[in-house]
Amino acid sequence: MADTPSLKSFLVEAVEKAYPDARKLAIKEILLAKFGIPIPHESEYPTVCPFSIEQILDEDFYRL
């Protein structure tokens, strides 16, 4: 992105387009999980991606 900043708008659009399918997949996957934790209701999953492009691209953002 540093070399081609114009790609940022494409990335924003790609995330917006892919997020609804990713949300559906996450909801399906958690229903299959057997972690002994409360399973969030579908309404608790944001309908719009809650992360900025900067957060998505930041490898350190995902570390616990």
Side-chain angles (χ1 to χ4, degrees):
M1 293 256 301
D3 294 337
T4 316
S6 62
L7 289 179
K8 184 174 182 177
S9 63
F10 171 77
L11 189 54
V12 170
E13 183 180 329
V15 169
E16 288 173 355
K17 189 172 183 178
Y19 184 79
D21 289 336
R23 179 182 179 270
K24 288 178 192 174
L25 181 60
I27 292 168
K28 276 187 193 178
E29 291 291 323
I30 196 66
L31 293 175
L32 300 174
K34 304 287 184 206
F35 296 122
I37 59 171
I39 296 176
H41 186 271
E42 185 175 329
S43 65
E44 295 180 65
Y45 290 83
T47 56
V48 176
C49 183
F51 307 107
S52 69
I53 295 302
E54 289 75 19
Q55 290 171 318
I56 292 170
L57 295 175
D58 180 1
E59 291 179 24
D60 292 331
F61 180 74
Y62 300 100
R63 295 184 188 192
L64 298 176

